[in-house]
Amino acid sequence: MLKSALLALALVSAPAAATHYRAEPASAPATDKFVARDTVWTCGEGACEAGQSNSRPQVVCTAVVRKLGALRAFTVAGEPLSAEELDRCNARAR
């Protein structure tokens, strides 16, 4: 019984999807939620976050800048894109 209760508590308190991508737009986004390619993004104070997708990071970044415009930073699993990679991504901004 105790094991069942602990398992149920763990399942209820676990997040639905862990943050894998984090984008910091240069200007505030017009919406708090959007879909870019195959990823659902949620925006809050100064950043937008999403779970992992099957696309390469550069493809995901490009999809985001086409929705939001230029980014100040883009992070994948806690690792930021290099300045050069971010510049290439931002070159595709709307």
Side-chain angles (χ1 to χ4, degrees), residues 5 7-8 13 20-22 26 31 34 39 41 47 50-51 55 71 76-77 85-86 90-91 93:
L7 179 60
S13 62
H20 187 74
Y21 301 109
R22 180 178 169 86
T31 183
F34 67 95
T39 310
W41 289 79
S55 300
L71 301 176
V76 181
E85 291 170 321
L86 185 61
N90 279 331

Side-chain angles (χ1 to χ4, degrees), residues 21-32 34 41-49 64 68-75:
Y21 301 109
R22 180 178 169 86
E24 295 178 23
S27 58
T31 183
D32 60 346
F34 67 95
W41 289 79
T42 303
C43 301
E45 298 181 28
C48 299
E49 298 179 336
V64 172
L68 296 180
L71 301 176
R72 289 191 315 258
F74 189 81
T75 306

